[in-house]
Amino acid sequence: MLAPTSTAVPYSVGIVTPQFLEFPEPLRLANGTSFGPYSLAVETYGTLNAQRNNAVLVCHALNASHHVAGVYADDPKSTGWWDNMVGPGKPLDTDKFFVIGINNLGSCFGSTGPASVNPETGRPWGAAFPVVTVEDWVHAQARVADRLGIAQFAAVMGGSLGGMQALSWAITYPERLRHCVVIASTPRLSAQNIAFNEVARRAIITDPDFHGGDYYAHGTLPRRGLSVARMVGHITYLSGDSMAEKFGRQQRQSQNGGDYNYGFDIEFEVESYLRYQGEKFSGYFDANTYLLLTRALDYFDPAKTCGGDLQRALAKVRASFLLASFTTDWRFPPANSREIVRALLGNRVPVTYAEIDAPHGHDAFLLEDARYHAVVRAYYERIATELGL
Amino acid sequence: MLAPTSTAVPYSVGIVTPQFLEFPEPLRLANGTSFGPYSLAVETYGTLNAQRNNAVLVCHALNASHHVAGVYADDPKSTGWWDNMVGPGKPLDTDKFFVIGINNLGSCFGSTGPASVNPETGRPWGAAFPVVTVEDWVHAQARVADRLGIAQFAAVMGGSLGGMQALSWAITYPERLRHCVVIASTPRLSAQNIAFNEVARRAIITDPDFHGGDYYAHGTLPRRGLSVARMVGHITYLSGDSMAEKFGRQQRQSQNGGDYNYGFDIEFEVESYLRYQGEKFSGYFDANTYLLLTRALDYFDPAKTCGGDLQRALAKVRASFLLASFTTDWRFPPANSREIVRALLGNRVPVTYAEIDAPHGHDAFLLEDARYHAVVRAYYERIATELGL
């Protein structure tokens, strides 16, 4: 196939349809138990070539899913979460690469999760759903690769929590990926990161409608707690500067000639925005999934079993790396990525690292920044050349 | 009185007793209504001299009170919140100065607030308590000064929300203070600051035990919401680095040989610390007061009526200024203090500004940092010399 040049106008992968893969064999989990049978929601874009060497796995972060690119036939607003990155002529070019998105075990967008029915009880798993880890997801993703006949990925890629999965792939299955693309991520959460996650979890767990995680049976949803959790999370995704630019101290209403309303209803635009984000999120996201995903974030720490020595944890890595971070990301700041870069260089692993001067905080990894996308595009063009795609 | 040298060993002001001052005349508020009668809890340390020119007003921040220094006779653990700053031989030396602490209107430590009984209904004010502002507090504090026969303060001083009050004093009553000491403060909250306050308020208001602010009548306390509010606030008082140093990723229990517990109970020390802070706070602080104080923070913006021009807002200032900020304070970072400094310099106001390289974040203003205390001490020694104290 003749690859389009990078100056081609990108277009979307178009209408996409998820598949649901059943896995009857239980999966061994980090917590020592086994879980299964289970099913995973999967989407693919582009075509797996005859050599089966052009597959790229894209791992999702906290509130995303297998729906990476394209739209669903029945909903023109259902654009995939990384549609600006993945598609024909886009940085991860589906004219060359076969791209796979997998909704992780425990999530709430089609894969088996806490809202799924536990076949042993006939009721939703709820609080009985096991606490899964980044490593558990990587093992489950490897099974999907097996199912699709992919022995080795051209690349595994992700941002934030997705970047942790990519990094874990390079450690856990060093022979099964040629390249590892880690964006706006970290080798471990800081105390402050964990603290924000804990605030979110407390807001959910102490909501009386949470019912110990079994709110499905009670016909309730802990929407208040989940909304507060989302609000606090959202603040950490944006930089202080971008919030200042977007909202500043702009007031929502100025019927008093700009004077304040002297109350606790919405006064400032930033309050309106956050409340809206919280309420919207609490209407579609499962609270138990939120708990699971924040805990997976907390627990990720590949250096833990090596006495905190990240270089040693990465000693068996075979993949080459692209890492990117964003200057105003205070959730996973550039120093976190630099630590991974240093540990890789210490192992003589080939690394490309881009520190992008972008104002948008952690959210920058989802946005279409020209320099950022140029770096990713160039890296995938290099992979395509290397593989003769 | 012979002033002790700065090398004297500081000692405490010792046993202190609050007074409760009654104000029968209603106070005109920024929201257009009048409020009163009301009472204010007040403490004083040191002696007002015959010239009545050695008085210093210390304004408190969100969760503090009139109890600035010393201890109560019945509780040896009841040390005042700024006891390291105020006392004999301390930076604000009570051997020279007469120091006054006032619990602000709307607070919950002895002054009239939402938990006080509304004489018209015979029930607690609850949600009917007016939304008060920094300017309202300053007017109420001026009445206290009148009552004590203080025409002009040697200084008005505060940190954080207390610093806003000090700044407001210099604008509102320019003739009534010789010096203004503003620590770790800001001329206005950023969108991110407001966002964190809004998360805290939503956690409280959406707690089913809040009952629209009238939880007193229901025999409940919105402890869950207040606890979450305190947790998120607490994170913003500490720097990321100080949290990393204090807690890192240290696990609470390691009965599994350091492995995780794979659950949502306390796993990391930082979770334990935050939960404890939240629970303790929710046991003694009034939730309605928390709402009022965060709103007073949001609303403070002296440049608002001058089209955002802070220099113009400070045009009538007569006091000299000391400002201090802390490098790792990301709640009210040094840039906020520098903005005040620039606006003052534009008005040819004498300003001393210290930017303290301290690791403790916003909380640094309450801690005993040698450089910070040396700057404050030197400034008050200058005032004492100026006044012949």
Side-chain angles (χ1 to χ4, degrees), chain B residues 319-381:
Chain B
S320 300
F321 273 71
L322 169 64
L323 288 104
S325 70
F326 302 92
T327 49
T328 58
D329 182 352
W330 61 281
R331 189 179 171 91
F332 298 150
N336 293 152
S337 290
R338 278 190 234 121
E339 190 186 347
I340 301 173
V341 169
R342 272 194 303 273
L344 290 167
L345 291 176
N347 286 311
R348 300 180 181 279
V349 171
V351 187
T352 301
Y353 174 52
E355 202 164 297
I356 311 285
D357 187 8
H360 306 101
H362 188 60
D363 259 2
F365 91 86
L366 294 168
L367 303 177
E368 203 169 339
D369 179 279
R371 287 158 304 179
Y372 161 45
H373 273 205
V375 166
V376 176
R377 177 185 297 277
Y379 196 81
Y380 276 107
E381 285 176 351

Side-chain angles (χ1 to χ4, degrees), chain B residues 133-171:
Chain B
T133 65
V134 167
E135 289 74 17
D136 293 335
W137 290 334
V138 166
H139 291 306
Q141 290 158 358
R143 285 182 166 191
V144 175
D146 295 343
R147 185 74 61 89
L148 299 177
I150 296 159
Q152 186 185 54
F153 284 110
V156 178
M157 177 187 197
S160 191
L161 176 56
M164 292 177 174
Q165 293 161 57
L167 184 59
S168 182
W169 260 95
I171 296 167

Side-chain angles (χ1 to χ4, degrees), chain A residues 131 189 198 201-202 206 224 249 251 258 260 262-265 267 271 275 291 295 298-299 304, chain B residues 131 189 191 198 201 206 224 249 251 258 260 262-265 267 271 275 291 295 298-299 304:
Chain A
V131 172
L189 258 56
E198 173 67 359
R201 283 190 295 264
R202 295 310 289 168
T206 64
R224 291 171 296 234
R249 295 179 53 85
Q251 288 168 241
Y260 297 128
Y262 301 99
F264 304 113
D265 286 339
E267 179 84 73
E271 297 175 310
R275 282 200 206 179
L291 299 182
R295 212 36 148 181
D298 290 354
Y299 281 170
K304 189 175 195 285
Chain B
V131 172
L189 259 56
E198 173 66 0
R201 283 190 295 264
T206 65
R224 291 171 296 233
R249 294 180 53 85
Q251 288 168 241
Y260 296 128
Y262 300 100
F264 304 113
D265 285 338
E267 179 84 74
E271 296 175 311
R275 282 199 207 181
L291 299 182
R295 213 34 149 183
D298 290 355
Y299 280 170
K304 189 174 195 284

Side-chain angles (χ1 to χ4, degrees), chain A residues 122-202:
Chain A
R123 291 184 287 110
W125 283 95
F129 198 89
V131 172
V132 286
T133 65
V134 167
E135 289 74 17
D136 294 334
W137 290 334
V138 166
H139 291 306
Q141 291 160 357
R143 285 182 165 191
V144 175
D146 295 342
R147 183 75 61 87
L148 299 177
I150 297 159
Q152 186 185 55
F153 283 110
V156 177
M157 176 187 196
S160 190
L161 177 56
M164 292 177 174
Q165 293 160 58
L167 183 60
S168 182
W169 261 94
I171 296 167
T172 313
Y173 295 107
E175 308 285 349
R176 295 195 69 173
L177 66 164
R178 294 180 67 89
H179 294 271
C180 184
V181 181
V182 178
I183 315 282
S185 195
T186 179
R188 77 187 71 79
L189 258 56
S190 69
Q192 189 188 64
N193 294 151
I194 296 172
F196 278 122
N197 282 346
E198 173 67 359
V199 170
R201 283 190 295 264
R202 295 310 289 168

Side-chain angles (χ1 to χ4, degrees), chain A residues 306-364:
Chain A
C306 298
D309 185 341
L310 186 63
Q311 183 171 325
R312 194 143 63 83
L314 297 176
K316 291 183 180 167
V317 160
R318 299 284 300 272
S320 300
F321 273 71
L322 169 64
L323 288 104
S325 69
F326 302 92
T327 48
T328 58
D329 182 352
W330 61 281
R331 189 180 171 92
F332 298 151
N336 293 152
S337 290
R338 278 189 233 123
E339 189 185 347
I340 301 173
V341 169
R342 273 193 303 271
L344 290 167
L345 292 176
N347 285 312
R348 300 180 180 279
V349 172
V351 186
T352 301
Y353 174 52
E355 202 164 296
I356 310 286
D357 187 8
H360 306 102
H362 188 60
D363 258 4

